[in-house]
Amino acid sequence: MNKRNTQKIINDPIYGFITIPSELIFNLIEHRYFQRLRRISQMGMSYLVYPGAHHTRFHHTLGALFLMEKAVQVLRFKGTKITDEEAEALNIGILLHDIGHGPFSHAMEHSIVSGISHEDISLLFMEALNVEMSNKLTLAISIFKNEYPRKFLHQLISSQLDMDRLDYLRRDSFYTGVAEGAVNSERLIAMLNVKDDKLVVEEKGIYSVEKFIVARRLMYWQVYLHKTGFVAENLLLRTLKRAKELTQKGVVLRCSDALQYFLKHQVTPEGFNLEVLETFAKLDDTDIISAMKFWVSNDDYVLSELSKMILNRSLLKIKIKKKPISIDKVSEKKKQLMAKHNLSRNEADYFVFTGTMTNQAYDMQNDTINILTKKGRVVDVAKASDQLNIEALSKKVVKHYFCFPKGLD
């Protein structure tokens, strides 16, 4: 391992200077697995709606690392014992929590790789790095998998109020310009404490938690589930699925060797070995963009049209309703498209489709955000809040969408 540990400070537009806390963290950041995150967009296709949203997973993980260091400082100051080994493990865990993301963040796991999530792939990367770095990541992996006895440590990495969410809400708000998502992460961290091995927020921080939950809801409707970005994400998934379908039939498509591998092979969780991981590590956003630039001139109408739609931002029309879309209406649109372009039912399915989108700002059933009252009681924020809307926000909102080509109106 090359230990060129010379540059220890990174200038971040959100927090200012971020100090890299140790040689091990520096070496992890320098590793090719992690450097790949510079080429993975944080927000997928959202830049088609918000032109500033070109920030990467690399930006986000460094921000989450910064917040984790702040959280450890706060908890230690309040009397929670966290050893140096545990602190470094937390830093490693939050730094690598997103390392398993593929191109455009979620495109791979819903199209050409099945049954394996980015969290699973992150763990595979961490285990490979652990071998390479003489088992120095063992404690981090234990905390990441929630196997370590001190459960509040895992909550700092993965919970409804973790360092991941505290960074991405604020960062995505900054780069999109959607001010409603600008949570006060420093204030929330300053209010953290530990009670009975649970991460809690002191009562005086309850209004900051309320704002955090509301900001999360607004960011989902305004940004993450914005109808234009949502359509673009769906088109990207369908482009990759079509490419895989054609490749499986023997059609040779122009693309990078790494992407070609995943188009040719049915990769399962059981078969995701080190060799597959190395191939996955070569994939990033540029593989997909460059492939689509080739595919626009492909003889297959579906692959060509899908690629053009994304590259030229000439997307499908989307209608969002409170009630399910009628089967007859969907069938009629498909018949129109089939007649217009002489397509099969399977080909028309790529352009006319329905589904649901859900938004649940707060989950009262799993891993709640707990408030520590002045009397020492631990209470769910939805019960402790004097705003009735927090409990209302815990209800899952489901909307139905209907996508089809604009010329079929």
Side-chain angles (χ1 to χ4, degrees), residues 34-296:
F34 193 83
Q35 287 294 313
R36 183 186 67 96
L37 296 183
R38 291 182 184 271
R39 306 185 298 277
I40 304 290
S41 59
Q42 169 73 11
M43 295 183 62
M45 307 300 292
S46 291
Y47 69 89
L48 293 177
V49 183
Y50 301 101
H54 277 289
H55 56 303
T56 66
R57 291 279 161 186
F58 186 86
H59 287 124
H60 162 58
T61 47
L62 289 179
L65 171 67
F66 173 83
L67 295 182
M68 183 63 81
E69 287 192 271
K70 293 291 182 186
V72 169
Q73 289 173 10
V74 166
L75 293 177
R76 280 175 165 172
F77 179 77
K78 293 178 180 179
T80 300
K81 186 180 178 184
I82 300 174
T83 67
D84 290 345
E85 291 76 20
E86 288 170 337
E88 179 146 90
L90 285 171
N91 287 340
I92 293 167
I94 201 66
L95 185 74
L96 302 181
H97 77 281
D98 271 351
I99 199 170
H101 272 290
F104 291 102
S105 290
H106 293 282
M108 290 287 290
E109 62 191 286
H110 299 299
S111 56
I112 57 178
V113 174
S114 58
I116 186 164
S117 67
H118 72 270
E119 291 93 350
D120 297 327
I121 301 173
S122 291
L123 186 57
L124 292 173
F125 272 123
M126 290 172 74
E127 287 168 346
L129 287 166
N130 196 32
V131 172
E132 195 172 325
M133 298 191 173
S134 307
N135 297 320
K136 293 179 181 177
L137 279 63
T138 301
L139 181 56
I141 291 171
S142 177
I143 293 172
F144 184 81
K145 293 168 70 176
N146 201 18
E147 294 175 350
Y148 193 64
R150 307 188 76 195
K151 298 301 181 183
F152 79 90
L153 297 175
H154 175 76
Q155 287 183 291
L156 288 166
I157 296 174
S158 180
S159 65
Q160 290 198 78
L161 191 65
D162 56 27
M163 300 308 107
D164 173 32
R165 292 185 183 188
L166 287 181
D167 180 79
Y168 80 62
L169 282 173
R170 185 169 175 184
R171 189 168 301 274
D172 294 351
S173 167
F174 176 87
Y175 280 100
T176 58
V178 178
E180 288 83 355
V183 297
N184 191 342
S185 46
E186 282 96 337
R187 165 74 176 169
L188 282 162
I189 289 171
M191 295 297 105
L192 290 179
N193 212 325
V194 175
K195 174 81 171 181
D196 299 329
D197 197 35
K198 287 183 180 178
L199 196 64
V200 295
V201 179
E202 292 166 355
E203 189 172 3
K204 56 189 174 183
I206 191 169
Y207 300 117
S208 297
V209 176
E210 289 173 355
K211 184 178 185 301
F212 165 80
I213 293 171
V214 172
R216 181 170 157 77
R217 177 181 183 274
L218 294 175
M219 283 293 284
Y220 264 85
W221 286 134
Q222 288 185 241
V223 179
Y224 308 129
L225 295 176
H226 186 286
K227 63 180 185 178
T228 303
F230 189 81
V231 168
E233 294 275 356
N234 271 277
L235 285 173
L236 180 59
L237 299 184
R238 281 163 168 74
T239 303
L240 293 172
K241 283 182 179 178
R242 183 60 173 179
K244 191 174 183 76
E245 183 183 337
L246 293 172
T247 302
Q248 298 286 312
K249 291 179 179 177
V251 178
V252 178
L253 299 177
R254 292 183 68 184
C255 61
S256 68
D257 291 342
L259 181 55
Q260 188 75 248
Y261 178 89
F262 286 96
L263 293 178
K264 280 183 178 178
H265 298 88
Q266 297 289 355
V267 179
T268 62
E270 296 76 27
F272 214 105
N273 55 30
L274 189 58
E275 182 183 351
V276 176
L277 190 70
E278 283 292 342
T279 306
F280 184 87
K282 295 173 184 175
L283 281 173
D284 55 50
D285 291 5
T286 55
D287 291 79
I288 308 300
I289 293 290
S290 60
M292 288 192 295
K293 290 171 75 174
F294 287 129
W295 296 345
V296 291

Side-chain angles (χ1 to χ4, degrees), residues 269 327 335 370 377:
I327 296 173
K335 286 177 183 177
N370 292 311
R377 292 174 57 239

